[in-house]
Each structure stands twice: as structure tokens, then as C-alpha cells.
Amino acid sequence: MLDLPLVVILLLTGFINLIGALAYAARIAGVRTGRIAMSFALFNILLLFSRTSNSFLGPFLAKRIETRIHDGTGASLFLDMQFVLAAASIATLAGILLVPTGQRLFAAAIGWYQDNRSTTKLALKAASPAGLRTLRRSLRFPSLVHLKGWHMPQGIGWGVLIANCLAQSLLAVGVVASLYAGYLAPEFRVTASQLSALINGFATILLFAFIDPQLSVMTDDAVEGSVGEADFRRAIALISLSRLAGTVLAQALLLPAALLIALVAVHV
């Protein structure tokens, strides 16, 4: 049963994952404009916001679990957690569909910032009528034309895609599973909630050490011309789809991860 607190949690989850999925559009904008350093700064801001904002979900989810325990309706918590992960998947899919729009918006933002050099003015410009007109002009959806001659782009292999899928699934399920583990082992709720840092930390290291460097090298290759823009866009699409697959995989990992965390919390 959806209620106002759960709707707030779902909207927050959706917003976080939408921003994370749209961050890849900054890479494409950097290749198209040639402003790689600026696009990387924009990409890192969005990605950092997405990866760290998961911690904001903690208090909302924790309060819901505490409420469910106190009023004796904890049996429905698993469904609540599944709704949260489903919201992450839906928002990620929406972000993938909006990548062409995001790419145009980021290209416009990079060009404007290059002339004005003010983050505050850029934020105000985005919220102005002129910014809204830019948003309307930039609205695009993925074209099926890009599916012609589809192949695995050079520099992106199955290992990278699988590692990204795994890392994204751990990021999606980490906080949710640790808090649900607190319901499974209520006497060790605090210990279980703290274990999410280990899961998210491992996933973040995996992303920064193995995924992001591969994408950065490919971005440089695209700027130099050794990798075509079409191949680079395909690589971004595959990385984005592996992110989506990770949020779907998180649904299957929720219960095993929660049981494992509860077991560790009891015997740590």
C-alpha cells in the first residue's frame, strides 16, 4: 500500500537515479564540444551527487522500518523495499531515454560557462525563462537509426559491462538491504545499518578503479579521433544499459544480501 512517506522515498530514489543516468550525457557533450576538462567536472559533480545521495535515503527508510516494527506491519517491508528498487530502475530507464536531451543541455551549459565562469550564474540561468527555452529546444529522444550496424565498441568489453552491472547493483541494494537486515535482526539494527558502508565502499572502489578509467580513456580516444563518435555513443549506451541491468539485479539480491548482512551483524 502506497502512502505519503513511501511516495517521498520513491520520488527521492527516482531523482537520485535519474541524475546518475543523465551524468553520462556530459561525456558525450564533452566529446562534441571538445571541452573535456569542463565536461569531466560536470560529470563528476553529477556522479558524486548521485553516489553520495543514496545516504540521504537512510533516515527515511530507517524511520519507515522503525514505524513498521512498532505498529506490527513489518511483513510488508519487503514489498516496500522492492518498490524502492523498482523506482531506481524506472528512473534509470528514464535517464537513458533522456540522454540525447541531456547531451544538448550540457553542451549549452559548457559553452555558457566557458564565457561567464560562474557556477552561481549558470544555476540561475538554468532556472530562468531562457533556460527553460533551451530545455524545450533540446528535448530529444533516442533514435532507432543508431541501432543499425550495432556492434561492441572498441575499448568496452563484456568484463567492463559486467563489472559495472555488479557495482551498480551493490550501490542500489546496499542501503536498502542493510536497513531491511535491521528488521530481520532487530536487536542488531545499528550494526546492520553500518554495514551498508562496506557494500557501497566496495562498489565505489570498483567503479572508480575499473569502470571510470576505461570510460575516460575512451573519451580521450573519441576526442583524438581514434574512436568514432558513433562508437563512443554506443559505449555510453551500453554502460547505461548495464547500469539499468544492475538496478534490476538488485531486486534479486535484496533478500540474500539482507540475510547475509543480518548474519554478519549477529556474529561480527
Side-chain angles (χ1 to χ4, degrees):
M1 179 69 68
L2 292 178
D3 50 33
L4 182 58
L6 182 56
V7 169
V8 171
I9 291 171
L10 296 181
L11 289 175
L12 180 59
T13 302
F15 179 73
I16 290 168
N17 285 273
L18 179 65
I19 294 298
L22 278 175
Y24 293 111
R27 298 268 190 172
I28 301 175
V31 170
R32 179 153 289 188
T33 61
R35 305 290 186 180
I36 298 301
M38 182 59 200
S39 72
F40 272 28
L42 190 58
F43 174 84
N44 287 332
I45 289 171
L46 293 172
L47 211 57
L48 182 63
F49 179 84
S50 174
R51 291 174 183 174
T52 57
S53 293
N54 276 320
S55 61
F56 296 153
L57 285 175
F60 292 97
L61 290 171
K63 177 62 179 297
R64 188 165 188 85
I65 289 172
E66 296 285 353
T67 302
R68 292 292 197 189
I69 291 175
H70 287 306
D71 63 19
T73 59
S76 62
L77 271 175
F78 184 75
L79 183 60
D80 292 347
M81 302 301 108
Q82 292 282 7
F83 275 137
V84 171
L85 295 176
S89 296
I90 293 170
T92 300
L93 177 58
I96 293 172
L97 295 177
L98 289 173
V99 161
T101 299
Q103 167 212 316
R104 288 165 174 80
L105 287 174
F106 291 144
I110 289 170
W112 194 92
Y113 189 88
Q114 196 69 29
D115 296 331
N116 296 273
R117 311 295 176 92
S118 172
T119 304
T120 303
K121 290 181 179 179
L122 178 60
L124 293 174
K125 178 75 172 178
S128 69
L132 295 177
R133 286 195 297 271
T134 301
L135 172 61
R136 186 173 63 251
R137 290 195 301 267
S138 301
L139 189 61
R140 295 290 189 281
F141 291 100
S143 173
L144 296 178
V145 172
H146 296 298
L147 295 178
K148 289 185 177 180
W150 185 272
H151 61 275
M152 183 69 74
Q154 179 184 355
I156 297 292
W158 284 108
V160 173
L161 297 178
I162 292 172
N164 187 57
C165 176
L166 177 60
Q168 298 294 347
S169 68
L170 292 177
L171 282 176
V173 82
V175 173
V176 178
S178 64
L179 291 173
Y180 185 62
Y183 165 71
L184 299 177
E187 65 277 21
F188 295 100
R189 285 201 299 272
V190 176
T191 304
S193 67
Q194 294 303 308
L195 289 172
S196 66
L198 295 177
I199 299 173
N200 289 348
F202 173 76
T204 302
I205 291 172
L206 184 62
L207 285 167
F208 276 109
F210 298 102
I211 311 303
D212 289 350
Q214 292 284 340
L215 199 53
S216 296
V217 169
M218 193 169 188
T219 303
D220 288 339
D221 290 342
V223 172
E224 293 171 358
S226 57
V227 171
E229 185 177 330
D231 275 348
F232 182 72
R233 293 174 69 93
R234 290 189 187 101
I236 294 295
L238 288 173
I239 290 289
S240 299
L241 289 172
S242 70
R243 178 189 179 96
L244 175 61
T247 63
V248 174
L249 177 61
Q251 296 268 359
L253 294 178
L254 174 57
L255 185 57
L259 291 171
L260 179 60
I261 292 172
L263 182 65
V264 172
V266 170
H267 295 94
V268 70

PDB file of all heavy atoms in Angstrom, residues 32-58:
ATOM      1  N   ARG A  32      31.639  16.240 -28.056  1.00  0.00           N
ATOM      2  CA  ARG A  32      31.055  17.055 -29.130  1.00  0.00           C
ATOM      3  C   ARG A  32      31.584  18.482 -29.096  1.00  0.00           C
ATOM      4  O   ARG A  32      31.800  19.091 -30.146  1.00  0.00           O
ATOM      5  CB  ARG A  32      29.539  17.038 -29.003  1.00  0.00           C
ATOM      6  CG  ARG A  32      28.804  17.860 -30.040  1.00  0.00           C
ATOM      7  CD  ARG A  32      27.419  17.337 -30.289  1.00  0.00           C
ATOM      8  NE  ARG A  32      27.424  16.073 -30.999  1.00  0.00           N
ATOM      9  CZ  ARG A  32      26.330  15.491 -31.473  1.00  0.00           C
ATOM     10  NH1 ARG A  32      25.150  16.044 -31.290  1.00  0.00           N
ATOM     11  NH2 ARG A  32      26.401  14.338 -32.120  1.00  0.00           N
ATOM     12  N   THR A  33      31.791  19.046 -27.889  1.00  0.00           N
ATOM     13  CA  THR A  33      32.260  20.426 -27.789  1.00  0.00           C
ATOM     14  C   THR A  33      33.777  20.539 -27.744  1.00  0.00           C
ATOM     15  O   THR A  33      34.322  21.627 -27.961  1.00  0.00           O
ATOM     16  CB  THR A  33      31.691  21.093 -26.527  1.00  0.00           C
ATOM     17  OG1 THR A  33      32.151  20.378 -25.361  1.00  0.00           O
ATOM     18  CG2 THR A  33      30.168  21.086 -26.550  1.00  0.00           C
ATOM     19  N   GLY A  34      34.456  19.431 -27.424  1.00  0.00           N
ATOM     20  CA  GLY A  34      35.905  19.474 -27.274  1.00  0.00           C
ATOM     21  C   GLY A  34      36.358  20.000 -25.925  1.00  0.00           C
ATOM     22  O   GLY A  34      37.562  20.115 -25.678  1.00  0.00           O
ATOM     23  N   ARG A  35      35.425  20.305 -25.022  1.00  0.00           N
ATOM     24  CA  ARG A  35      35.742  20.826 -23.688  1.00  0.00           C
ATOM     25  C   ARG A  35      35.756  19.663 -22.696  1.00  0.00           C
ATOM     26  O   ARG A  35      34.859  19.508 -21.874  1.00  0.00           O
ATOM     27  CB  ARG A  35      34.709  21.867 -23.261  1.00  0.00           C
ATOM     28  CG  ARG A  35      34.529  23.018 -24.237  1.00  0.00           C
ATOM     29  CD  ARG A  35      35.739  23.912 -24.254  1.00  0.00           C
ATOM     30  NE  ARG A  35      35.537  25.093 -25.073  1.00  0.00           N
ATOM     31  CZ  ARG A  35      36.444  26.040 -25.259  1.00  0.00           C
ATOM     32  NH1 ARG A  35      37.612  25.932 -24.668  1.00  0.00           N
ATOM     33  NH2 ARG A  35      36.199  27.073 -26.035  1.00  0.00           N
ATOM     34  N   ILE A  36      36.806  18.860 -22.778  1.00  0.00           N
ATOM     35  CA  ILE A  36      36.838  17.624 -21.994  1.00  0.00           C
ATOM     36  C   ILE A  36      36.952  17.899 -20.506  1.00  0.00           C
ATOM     37  O   ILE A  36      36.247  17.291 -19.689  1.00  0.00           O
ATOM     38  CB  ILE A  36      38.005  16.728 -22.461  1.00  0.00           C
ATOM     39  CG1 ILE A  36      37.787  16.332 -23.919  1.00  0.00           C
ATOM     40  CG2 ILE A  36      38.109  15.489 -21.588  1.00  0.00           C
ATOM     41  CD1 ILE A  36      36.494  15.582 -24.151  1.00  0.00           C
ATOM     42  N   ALA A  37      37.834  18.811 -20.114  1.00  0.00           N
ATOM     43  CA  ALA A  37      38.030  19.081 -18.682  1.00  0.00           C
ATOM     44  C   ALA A  37      36.735  19.578 -18.051  1.00  0.00           C
ATOM     45  O   ALA A  37      36.351  19.147 -16.958  1.00  0.00           O
ATOM     46  CB  ALA A  37      39.153  20.099 -18.490  1.00  0.00           C
ATOM     47  N   MET A  38      36.045  20.485 -18.734  1.00  0.00           N
ATOM     48  CA  MET A  38      34.790  21.021 -18.198  1.00  0.00           C
ATOM     49  C   MET A  38      33.724  19.942 -18.141  1.00  0.00           C
ATOM     50  O   MET A  38      32.957  19.850 -17.180  1.00  0.00           O
ATOM     51  CB  MET A  38      34.314  22.186 -19.068  1.00  0.00           C
ATOM     52  CG  MET A  38      33.046  22.856 -18.565  1.00  0.00           C
ATOM     53  SD  MET A  38      33.239  23.498 -16.895  1.00  0.00           S
ATOM     54  CE  MET A  38      31.534  23.649 -16.383  1.00  0.00           C
ATOM     55  N   SER A  39      33.669  19.096 -19.166  1.00  0.00           N
ATOM     56  CA  SER A  39      32.665  18.030 -19.168  1.00  0.00           C
ATOM     57  C   SER A  39      32.949  17.019 -18.065  1.00  0.00           C
ATOM     58  O   SER A  39      32.023  16.493 -17.436  1.00  0.00           O
ATOM     59  CB  SER A  39      32.624  17.330 -20.526  1.00  0.00           C
ATOM     60  OG  SER A  39      33.768  16.529 -20.744  1.00  0.00           O
ATOM     61  N   PHE A  40      34.229  16.749 -17.794  1.00  0.00           N
ATOM     62  CA  PHE A  40      34.585  15.834 -16.715  1.00  0.00           C
ATOM     63  C   PHE A  40      34.184  16.412 -15.364  1.00  0.00           C
ATOM     64  O   PHE A  40      33.721  15.689 -14.479  1.00  0.00           O
ATOM     65  CB  PHE A  40      36.088  15.543 -16.730  1.00  0.00           C
ATOM     66  CG  PHE A  40      36.464  14.392 -17.621  1.00  0.00           C
ATOM     67  CD1 PHE A  40      35.692  14.068 -18.729  1.00  0.00           C
ATOM     68  CD2 PHE A  40      37.583  13.630 -17.359  1.00  0.00           C
ATOM     69  CE1 PHE A  40      36.028  13.015 -19.557  1.00  0.00           C
ATOM     70  CE2 PHE A  40      37.928  12.566 -18.177  1.00  0.00           C
ATOM     71  CZ  PHE A  40      37.159  12.265 -19.284  1.00  0.00           C
ATOM     72  N   ALA A  41      34.386  17.724 -15.189  1.00  0.00           N
ATOM     73  CA  ALA A  41      33.988  18.362 -13.938  1.00  0.00           C
ATOM     74  C   ALA A  41      32.479  18.242 -13.746  1.00  0.00           C
ATOM     75  O   ALA A  41      32.000  17.914 -12.653  1.00  0.00           O
ATOM     76  CB  ALA A  41      34.410  19.828 -13.947  1.00  0.00           C
ATOM     77  N   LEU A  42      31.729  18.473 -14.816  1.00  0.00           N
ATOM     78  CA  LEU A  42      30.283  18.368 -14.747  1.00  0.00           C
ATOM     79  C   LEU A  42      29.853  16.930 -14.484  1.00  0.00           C
ATOM     80  O   LEU A  42      28.973  16.657 -13.654  1.00  0.00           O
ATOM     81  CB  LEU A  42      29.674  18.870 -16.058  1.00  0.00           C
ATOM     82  CG  LEU A  42      28.159  19.060 -16.115  1.00  0.00           C
ATOM     83  CD1 LEU A  42      27.704  20.032 -15.032  1.00  0.00           C
ATOM     84  CD2 LEU A  42      27.745  19.565 -17.494  1.00  0.00           C
ATOM     85  N   PHE A  43      30.505  15.994 -15.167  1.00  0.00           N
ATOM     86  CA  PHE A  43      30.217  14.569 -14.976  1.00  0.00           C
ATOM     87  C   PHE A  43      30.481  14.153 -13.537  1.00  0.00           C
ATOM     88  O   PHE A  43      29.662  13.465 -12.908  1.00  0.00           O
ATOM     89  CB  PHE A  43      31.081  13.748 -15.937  1.00  0.00           C
ATOM     90  CG  PHE A  43      30.983  12.254 -15.745  1.00  0.00           C
ATOM     91  CD1 PHE A  43      29.954  11.537 -16.339  1.00  0.00           C
ATOM     92  CD2 PHE A  43      31.925  11.571 -14.991  1.00  0.00           C
ATOM     93  CE1 PHE A  43      29.864  10.165 -16.174  1.00  0.00           C
ATOM     94  CE2 PHE A  43      31.839  10.201 -14.828  1.00  0.00           C
ATOM     95  CZ  PHE A  43      30.806   9.496 -15.417  1.00  0.00           C
ATOM     96  N   ASN A  44      31.616  14.576 -12.995  1.00  0.00           N
ATOM     97  CA  ASN A  44      31.974  14.180 -11.632  1.00  0.00           C
ATOM     98  C   ASN A  44      31.036  14.790 -10.592  1.00  0.00           C
ATOM     99  O   ASN A  44      30.718  14.156  -9.581  1.00  0.00           O
ATOM    100  CB  ASN A  44      33.422  14.579 -11.336  1.00  0.00           C
ATOM    101  CG  ASN A  44      34.417  13.710 -12.063  1.00  0.00           C
ATOM    102  OD1 ASN A  44      34.137  12.545 -12.352  1.00  0.00           O
ATOM    103  ND2 ASN A  44      35.570  14.254 -12.403  1.00  0.00           N
ATOM    104  N   ILE A  45      30.584  16.026 -10.824  1.00  0.00           N
ATOM    105  CA  ILE A  45      29.632  16.650  -9.902  1.00  0.00           C
ATOM    106  C   ILE A  45      28.345  15.844  -9.862  1.00  0.00           C
ATOM    107  O   ILE A  45      27.817  15.518  -8.781  1.00  0.00           O
ATOM    108  CB  ILE A  45      29.349  18.105 -10.326  1.00  0.00           C
ATOM    109  CG1 ILE A  45      30.576  18.985 -10.060  1.00  0.00           C
ATOM    110  CG2 ILE A  45      28.142  18.653  -9.567  1.00  0.00           C
ATOM    111  CD1 ILE A  45      30.462  20.379 -10.632  1.00  0.00           C
ATOM    112  N   LEU A  46      27.819  15.517 -11.024  1.00  0.00           N
ATOM    113  CA  LEU A  46      26.564  14.773 -11.097  1.00  0.00           C
ATOM    114  C   LEU A  46      26.722  13.368 -10.525  1.00  0.00           C
ATOM    115  O   LEU A  46      25.858  12.869  -9.790  1.00  0.00           O
ATOM    116  CB  LEU A  46      26.075  14.698 -12.545  1.00  0.00           C
ATOM    117  CG  LEU A  46      25.654  16.035 -13.167  1.00  0.00           C
ATOM    118  CD1 LEU A  46      25.371  15.852 -14.653  1.00  0.00           C
ATOM    119  CD2 LEU A  46      24.437  16.599 -12.468  1.00  0.00           C
ATOM    120  N   LEU A  47      27.844  12.719 -10.870  1.00  0.00           N
ATOM    121  CA  LEU A  47      28.059  11.353 -10.403  1.00  0.00           C
ATOM    122  C   LEU A  47      28.277  11.318  -8.894  1.00  0.00           C
ATOM    123  O   LEU A  47      27.766  10.426  -8.202  1.00  0.00           O
ATOM    124  CB  LEU A  47      29.260  10.748 -11.131  1.00  0.00           C
ATOM    125  CG  LEU A  47      29.223   9.237 -11.355  1.00  0.00           C
ATOM    126  CD1 LEU A  47      27.969   8.843 -12.135  1.00  0.00           C
ATOM    127  CD2 LEU A  47      30.462   8.772 -12.101  1.00  0.00           C
ATOM    128  N   LEU A  48      29.025  12.277  -8.375  1.00  0.00           N
ATOM    129  CA  LEU A  48      29.247  12.342  -6.930  1.00  0.00           C
ATOM    130  C   LEU A  48      27.923  12.583  -6.209  1.00  0.00           C
ATOM    131  O   LEU A  48      27.649  11.971  -5.170  1.00  0.00           O
ATOM    132  CB  LEU A  48      30.245  13.454  -6.608  1.00  0.00           C
ATOM    133  CG  LEU A  48      30.620  13.617  -5.135  1.00  0.00           C
ATOM    134  CD1 LEU A  48      31.320  12.371  -4.621  1.00  0.00           C
ATOM    135  CD2 LEU A  48      31.510  14.842  -4.944  1.00  0.00           C
ATOM    136  N   PHE A  49      27.106  13.457  -6.769  1.00  0.00           N
ATOM    137  CA  PHE A  49      25.797  13.729  -6.181  1.00  0.00           C
ATOM    138  C   PHE A  49      24.957  12.457  -6.154  1.00  0.00           C
ATOM    139  O   PHE A  49      24.323  12.126  -5.143  1.00  0.00           O
ATOM    140  CB  PHE A  49      25.086  14.820  -6.977  1.00  0.00           C
ATOM    141  CG  PHE A  49      23.712  15.144  -6.460  1.00  0.00           C
ATOM    142  CD1 PHE A  49      23.530  16.024  -5.417  1.00  0.00           C
ATOM    143  CD2 PHE A  49      22.599  14.550  -7.024  1.00  0.00           C
ATOM    144  CE1 PHE A  49      22.267  16.319  -4.936  1.00  0.00           C
ATOM    145  CE2 PHE A  49      21.327  14.829  -6.564  1.00  0.00           C
ATOM    146  CZ  PHE A  49      21.157  15.710  -5.516  1.00  0.00           C
ATOM    147  N   SER A  50      24.977  11.719  -7.257  1.00  0.00           N
ATOM    148  CA  SER A  50      24.171  10.504  -7.337  1.00  0.00           C
ATOM    149  C   SER A  50      24.659   9.437  -6.361  1.00  0.00           C
ATOM    150  O   SER A  50      23.862   8.811  -5.660  1.00  0.00           O
ATOM    151  CB  SER A  50      24.205   9.960  -8.763  1.00  0.00           C
ATOM    152  OG  SER A  50      23.559   8.713  -8.858  1.00  0.00           O
ATOM    153  N   ARG A  51      25.980   9.241  -6.300  1.00  0.00           N
ATOM    154  CA  ARG A  51      26.525   8.158  -5.479  1.00  0.00           C
ATOM    155  C   ARG A  51      26.440   8.451  -3.989  1.00  0.00           C
ATOM    156  O   ARG A  51      26.274   7.535  -3.183  1.00  0.00           O
ATOM    157  CB  ARG A  51      27.978   7.889  -5.896  1.00  0.00           C
ATOM    158  CG  ARG A  51      28.087   7.265  -7.280  1.00  0.00           C
ATOM    159  CD  ARG A  51      29.532   7.141  -7.744  1.00  0.00           C
ATOM    160  NE  ARG A  51      29.600   6.600  -9.101  1.00  0.00           N
ATOM    161  CZ  ARG A  51      30.718   6.488  -9.804  1.00  0.00           C
ATOM    162  NH1 ARG A  51      31.865   6.896  -9.290  1.00  0.00           N
ATOM    163  NH2 ARG A  51      30.690   5.983 -11.021  1.00  0.00           N
ATOM    164  N   THR A  52      26.570   9.719  -3.620  1.00  0.00           N
ATOM    165  CA  THR A  52      26.523  10.045  -2.194  1.00  0.00           C
ATOM    166  C   THR A  52      25.101  10.301  -1.701  1.00  0.00           C
ATOM    167  O   THR A  52      24.827  10.169  -0.505  1.00  0.00           O
ATOM    168  CB  THR A  52      27.380  11.287  -1.886  1.00  0.00           C
ATOM    169  OG1 THR A  52      26.932  12.386  -2.681  1.00  0.00           O
ATOM    170  CG2 THR A  52      28.841  11.018  -2.197  1.00  0.00           C
ATOM    171  N   SER A  53      24.210  10.663  -2.607  1.00  0.00           N
ATOM    172  CA  SER A  53      22.839  10.961  -2.197  1.00  0.00           C
ATOM    173  C   SER A  53      22.089   9.731  -1.716  1.00  0.00           C
ATOM    174  O   SER A  53      21.038   9.851  -1.086  1.00  0.00           O
ATOM    175  CB  SER A  53      22.066  11.620  -3.341  1.00  0.00           C
ATOM    176  OG  SER A  53      22.590  12.892  -3.622  1.00  0.00           O
ATOM    177  N   ASN A  54      22.617   8.539  -2.035  1.00  0.00           N
ATOM    178  CA  ASN A  54      21.985   7.324  -1.521  1.00  0.00           C
ATOM    179  C   ASN A  54      21.917   7.336  -0.001  1.00  0.00           C
ATOM    180  O   ASN A  54      20.999   6.758   0.598  1.00  0.00           O
ATOM    181  CB  ASN A  54      22.750   6.081  -1.994  1.00  0.00           C
ATOM    182  CG  ASN A  54      22.330   5.650  -3.377  1.00  0.00           C
ATOM    183  OD1 ASN A  54      21.145   5.677  -3.719  1.00  0.00           O
ATOM    184  ND2 ASN A  54      23.283   5.255  -4.192  1.00  0.00           N
ATOM    185  N   SER A  55      22.893   8.006   0.621  1.00  0.00           N
ATOM    186  CA  SER A  55      22.893   8.054   2.088  1.00  0.00           C
ATOM    187  C   SER A  55      21.720   8.860   2.627  1.00  0.00           C
ATOM    188  O   SER A  55      21.310   8.662   3.770  1.00  0.00           O
ATOM    189  CB  SER A  55      24.210   8.646   2.596  1.00  0.00           C
ATOM    190  OG  SER A  55      24.378   9.967   2.123  1.00  0.00           O
ATOM    191  N   PHE A  56      21.182   9.777   1.803  1.00  0.00           N
ATOM    192  CA  PHE A  56      20.015  10.550   2.243  1.00  0.00           C
ATOM    193  C   PHE A  56      18.785   9.677   2.403  1.00  0.00           C
ATOM    194  O   PHE A  56      17.854  10.024   3.142  1.00  0.00           O
ATOM    195  CB  PHE A  56      19.708  11.668   1.243  1.00  0.00           C
ATOM    196  CG  PHE A  56      20.792  12.694   1.127  1.00  0.00           C
ATOM    197  CD1 PHE A  56      20.953  13.419  -0.041  1.00  0.00           C
ATOM    198  CD2 PHE A  56      21.654  12.937   2.175  1.00  0.00           C
ATOM    199  CE1 PHE A  56      21.952  14.362  -0.154  1.00  0.00           C
ATOM    200  CE2 PHE A  56      22.661  13.880   2.077  1.00  0.00           C
ATOM    201  CZ  PHE A  56      22.813  14.599   0.905  1.00  0.00           C
ATOM    202  N   LEU A  57      18.771   8.543   1.699  1.00  0.00           N
ATOM    203  CA  LEU A  57      17.629   7.637   1.811  1.00  0.00           C
ATOM    204  C   LEU A  57      17.593   6.951   3.173  1.00  0.00           C
ATOM    205  O   LEU A  57      16.526   6.531   3.626  1.00  0.00           O
ATOM    206  CB  LEU A  57      17.697   6.568   0.717  1.00  0.00           C
ATOM    207  CG  LEU A  57      17.333   6.993  -0.701  1.00  0.00           C
ATOM    208  CD1 LEU A  57      17.587   5.846  -1.660  1.00  0.00           C
ATOM    209  CD2 LEU A  57      15.889   7.437  -0.775  1.00  0.00           C
ATOM    210  N   GLY A  58      18.765   6.820   3.798  1.00  0.00           N
ATOM    211  CA  GLY A  58      18.862   6.085   5.045  1.00  0.00           C
ATOM    212  C   GLY A  58      17.867   6.506   6.109  1.00  0.00           C
ATOM    213  O   GLY A  58      17.111   5.672   6.632  1.00  0.00           O
TER     214      GLY A  58
END
